[in-house]
Amino acid sequence: MRVLTINSGSSSVKYQFIDTDTKQSLCRGLVERIGISGTNLSHTRHDGVKTIISDNIVNHETAIEQILKILVHPQFGVISDLKEIDAVGHRLVHAGDKFKQSVLIDEEVREKLYECIEYAPLHNPPNIKGVEASLEKLPGISNVGVFDTTFHVNMPDYAYTYGIPYSYYKNHGIRRYGFHGSSHYYVAHRAAEILGKDIKSLKIITCHLGNGSSITAVKGGVSVDTSMGFTPLEGLLMGTRCGDIDPGVIFTIASRENFDIGQANAFFNKQCGIQGISGLTNDMREIEAEAENGNYQAQLALKVFSYRLKKYIASYMGVMNGADVIVFTGGIGENSDVVRSMSLSEMDNLGIKLDAKINKATRSSETIISADSSPVKVMVIPTNEELVIAMETQRVIMGENQD
Ligand code: ADP
């Protein structure tokens, strides 16, 4: 089956065209700055042929239109007719308590997707725009929604319940949900495959560290706890999000700055985290460079990021009574040997010992970076959320059961 995957964000659409039989990506690309000036579609074919199209892409509909055009382009495309697309798989961020699995998008599901907006008002609306544009531009082709929250649906109640009146869970669905599910699922399964072990026998801690970061405890293939909560604001320190915080800080800053709810939400999502502490940037590469140059706030941002990650890793070892594997993925996890070594430093009493040389040399490749003598294996595994979305899309369309 050949599946077009769509990841539609507020001003960008990422896509891949994947052959699920070979698990190969035939082409991939990104439309950036939708609705802002200087929109670009950058497209790369499996053979390395690249092109950039600068066109007036004013909204998500025209973005999808341009993506479909490039797929059948005589010089840069990979198919000669749009009928060669068997299905479209959409990354959808928040299912709330409306969907426990990936779904075929029919009229009823489409309506329910709008009901999910209240859970993630920043993320879900652009996701839905991608779905609407695809339904319109590819009539007769099946669309499947794959949610970030799905992998975490089996978290135990004591892990997802907040310390608030229970009625807010019963009546408003306020609980911890977790995100980055496709990524945590992919790297956990890939780790088991690489080690030649059955995932059901393993305790794995997966660290997805990018602009948004989350960490998950995977026991026997099931997510038993994860750091993001009702929204992607909870948990680790992130590029511009504060992560775990005393709610009292929110009241105090909102009151001193005279923020309304929307302004407070924007502040803690967009002006905090690494950016807020460093006063410089949300980009970890620049933070590392500035820290190296002796900038105190950059050094502090790096330390806070790594320290919080270390605390979560240790706590998930408590949750699972140990760990067999720790996996690093995402832009930071795959590339930053500094973050990996800082977050795992002085954990040898917990059975974690890095091979410093291998760690330093590892960038975005599947590698075991722990010392041979380390009881806990530490791995770097580049994530592949699009492959999970494509495989899920196939599974739903074929009516197969989830493993
Ligand atoms: P997103 O969550 O937007 O998908 P990514 O997974 O692409 O983000 O991760 C982006 C982050 O990865 C940025 O902070 C970037 O600085 C960081 N990153 C990328 N390459 C490196 C590197 N070589 N060293 C340290 N950090 C890196």
Side-chain angles (χ1 to χ4, degrees):
M1 182 174 282
R2 292 205 273 185
V3 178
L4 174 64
T5 64
I6 301 275
N7 180 350
S8 177
S10 57
S11 64
S12 71
V13 177
K14 287 187 203 155
Y15 64 94
Q16 272 197 46
F17 192 48
I18 294 176
D19 184 331
T20 55
D21 299 330
T22 59
K23 300 191 176 171
Q24 293 304 309
S25 171
L26 304 174
C27 65
R28 66 181 70 206
L30 168 68
V31 184
E32 284 178 292
R33 302 179 62 81
I34 298 172
I36 314 168
S37 62
T39 318
N40 262 338
L41 184 158
S42 51
H43 173 85
T44 309
R45 220 167 50 186
H46 57 93
D47 55 6
V49 170
K50 287 184 188 188
T51 184
I52 293 185
I53 292 174
S54 302
D55 215 325
N56 192 21
I57 304 179
V58 290
N59 54 31
H60 289 74
E61 209 180 314
T62 46
I64 302 277
E65 212 170 272
Q66 293 296 338
I67 292 168
L68 298 179
K69 262 193 196 164
I70 198 86
L71 284 177
V72 293
H73 192 280
Q75 195 182 349
F76 303 110
V78 288
I79 47 177
S80 52
D81 195 302
L82 291 178
K83 291 203 179 78
E84 292 172 55
I85 301 173
D86 294 310
V88 184
H90 297 268
R91 180 206 178 186
L92 303 177
V93 170
H94 208 319
D97 54 7
K98 306 256 184 276
F99 300 100
K100 302 234 176 298
Q101 286 207 25
S102 311
V103 281
L104 187 68
I105 302 175
D106 58 17
E107 247 337 285
E108 193 187 331
V109 166
R110 198 169 154 200
E111 269 171 37
K112 271 196 183 169
L113 291 181
Y114 281 92
E115 292 170 21
C116 293
I117 287 179
E118 62 170 334
Y119 293 107
L122 296 178
H123 296 88
N124 279 2
N127 292 169
I128 294 175
K129 281 187 189 161
V131 172
E132 294 291 6
S134 161
L135 287 169
E136 194 196 313
K137 304 286 169 199
L138 291 169
I141 292 180
S142 301
N143 286 261
V144 171
V146 180
F147 299 94
D148 263 32
T149 42
T150 298
F151 183 49
H152 306 295
V153 293
N154 293 316
M155 255 197 291
D157 52 4
Y158 51 80
Y160 70 65
T161 301
Y162 284 117
I164 55 175
Y166 195 64
S167 56
Y168 284 89
Y169 165 59
K170 294 294 279 179
N171 302 334
H172 303 280
I174 298 182
R175 48 159 280 185
R176 308 184 63 255
Y177 288 97
F179 299 90
H180 289 141
S182 299
S183 179
H184 291 293
Y185 173 94
Y186 175 80
V187 297
H189 280 80
R190 190 70 197 122
E193 236 169 70
I194 293 169
L195 296 172
K197 299 240 166 92
D198 182 351
I199 194 164
K200 294 205 162 60
S201 71
L202 290 174
K203 298 168 188 168
I204 307 174
I205 297 174
T206 51
C207 312
H208 177 108
L209 313 176
N211 275 319
S213 295
S214 68
I215 172 167
T216 297
V218 185
K219 192 174 185 184
V222 176
S223 164
V224 293
D225 203 350
T226 191
S227 59
M228 283 178 169
F230 179 64
T231 72
L233 190 54
E234 190 179 343
L236 299 171
L237 192 75
M238 298 176 229
T240 59
R241 296 179 214 148
C242 59
D244 294 337
I245 198 163
D246 173 354
V249 173
I250 300 177
F251 312 138
T252 304
I253 291 184
S255 143
R256 294 207 180 145
E257 300 289 344
N258 265 324
F259 285 157
D260 61 25
I261 301 276
Q263 287 168 319
N265 198 9
F267 179 83
F268 288 98
N269 272 287
K270 296 189 173 156
Q271 290 184 48
C272 292
I274 294 167
Q275 163 103 48
I277 296 174
S278 70
L280 291 170
T281 172
N282 63 339
D283 190 306
M284 188 53 97
R285 271 167 299 203
E286 285 176 43
I287 292 292
E288 286 184 12
E290 285 298 322
E292 185 84 28
N293 287 339
N295 181 307
Y296 168 73
Q297 280 172 246
Q299 288 171 348
L300 185 62
L302 192 53
K303 282 185 198 163
V304 174
F305 184 91
S306 306
Y307 179 68
R308 196 174 296 180
L309 178 56
K310 181 196 201 64
K311 285 206 294 187
Y312 263 102
I313 289 171
S315 75
Y316 285 172
M317 290 179 83
V319 163
M320 297 193 289
N321 192 15
D324 302 300
V325 190
I326 297 170
V327 186
F328 285 89
T329 195
I332 298 171
E334 291 167 30
N335 293 294
S336 175
D337 57 286
V338 175
V339 164
R340 294 189 301 246
S341 74
M342 283 174 74
S343 58
L344 297 182
S345 68
E346 293 177 39
M347 290 178 93
D348 48 326
N349 277 337
L350 295 180
I352 304 169
K353 276 182 262 174
L354 276 186
D355 182 315
K357 222 168 133 187
I358 298 179
N359 177 47
K360 198 158 183 54
T362 301
R363 299 266 174 285
S364 278
S365 68
E366 291 183 343
T367 313
I368 297 176
I369 58 171
S370 46
D372 288 344
S373 60
S374 178
V376 179
K377 296 274 164 274
V378 184
M379 306 172 81
V380 170
I381 301 181
T383 195
N384 195 345
E385 292 157 289
E386 281 76 15
L387 180 60
V388 174
I389 293 169
M391 298 310 288
E392 271 293 281
T393 300
Q394 168 175 277
R395 187 186 64 75
V396 168
I397 287 173
M398 308 290 271
E400 289 161 4
N401 288 329
Q402 214 162 17
D403 57 17

